Amino acid sequence: MTPADVSDALVRAVRDAVAQGELDVVVPDEALVFSRGDGVFESPVALRLGIEPRVVAERVGGTVTGAGFVRVAVSARDVVDAILGDPEYGVAKVPERQWDEWPRTFENPGFSVRYAYARACWVGRWAEDLRLQRGPLDDARPEELRLVGVLGDVPGRARQAERERDARPLMFCLERVAGAYHDVHERCPAIGPGTARAGRVGLAEAVRVVLGNGLNMIGETPRERI
């Protein structure tokens, strides 16, 4: 389940409640969804509509936070599988804007994002050479869960960037994805001496999809090698 799926489920919940006479509001076209990490998504849909959040939460198997957000939990495996099943994951119409090319250090967010994309591509090439198929992400470590949480936040930030006509919300999110992936790549290697994890190969591919789409959205052609 992707953030878009969560959004669709929330909209259906509102529509059903209206049809059953429990709510009297205009059904929105979409519900804004943000990732809170570890496969947890929250939406202010009830606050925006001025309705009781419990009505929506109960229909999607979610809960209500103290701030009135509707919270839905999705497994890390489901988030990764959803990304791998959607080549257009997170794509929105975002104004073009780019980072500086230099210096090529991790302190430069542009280099960090581009290098994270290149690293994810490297994993894919090595997996292909080793004939290692990607697999489900099971028994994820904390670093991997953090990465999945940030990956899940990208569609919401992309839509925010489109709505505000400002690429920065998306770019900041891509920087977080890159930072989280560098940690995973170094601490939880998919391929290395005595190591070959199919689930981590799939996670690297999900990173490649997300960062590649993100770079394209801001007007930059992703590079597999830097």
Side-chain angles (χ1 to χ4, degrees):
M1 178 179 283
T2 67
D5 295 327
V6 175
S7 175
D8 291 343
L10 293 169
V11 171
R12 285 196 301 272
V14 174
R15 183 180 297 113
D16 290 346
V18 169
Q20 294 169 12
E22 195 167 354
L23 295 177
D24 183 16
V25 295
V26 176
V27 179
D29 294 328
E30 66 175 359
L32 189 62
V33 174
F34 294 111
S35 171
R36 298 307 186 201
D38 296 357
V40 175
F41 297 93
E42 292 182 357
S43 173
V45 60
L47 296 174
R48 291 192 166 196
L49 294 174
I51 61 177
E52 169 56 51
R54 174 191 54 79
V55 175
V56 179
E58 289 179 349
R59 283 176 164 79
V60 296
T63 58
V64 179
T65 71
F69 281 58
V70 176
R71 175 178 291 173
V72 179
V74 182
S75 73
R77 175 176 177 172
D78 286 346
V79 173
V80 173
D81 288 348
I83 295 171
L84 296 177
D86 181 9
E88 299 297 311
Y89 179 84
V91 172
K93 295 181 180 179
V94 177
E96 292 188 3
R97 186 184 179 108
Q98 295 186 7
W99 295 281
D100 291 334
E101 177 73 18
W102 302 93
R104 289 190 169 182
T105 65
F106 285 108
E107 287 70 30
N108 177 2
F111 172 77
S112 179
V113 172
R114 296 177 187 115
Y115 189 43
Y117 177 81
R119 276 182 150 179
C121 292
W122 176 87
V123 171
R125 290 194 299 271
W126 270 96
E128 185 176 352
D129 290 344
L130 295 173
R131 297 182 180 179
L132 176 62
Q133 299 293 320
R134 70 191 187 206
L137 182 65
D138 295 322
D139 301 321
R141 290 177 51 175
E143 297 93 334
E144 294 169 310
L145 292 175
R146 174 173 168 262
L147 171 59
V148 171
V150 184
L151 290 172
D153 202 24
V154 171
R157 298 306 176 184
R159 287 196 296 272
Q160 179 186 357
E162 178 179 6
R163 185 174 62 254
E164 297 177 359
R165 299 180 182 179
D166 184 349
R168 285 176 294 181
L170 172 62
M171 295 174 76
F172 292 151
C173 191
L174 296 178
E175 292 168 19
R176 291 170 57 217
V177 170
Y181 182 59
H182 289 309
D183 286 343
V184 167
H185 186 82
E186 294 170 6
R187 300 176 186 176
C188 315
I191 300 171
T195 300
R197 295 283 296 274
R200 290 176 178 172
V201 171
L203 181 56
E205 175 65 11
V207 170
R208 187 194 67 79
V209 170
V210 170
L211 291 182
N213 287 346
L215 288 166
N216 278 318
M217 278 188 275
I218 63 173
E220 183 170 331
T221 300
R223 289 170 283 177
E224 294 191 3
R225 291 179 172 85
I226 293 182

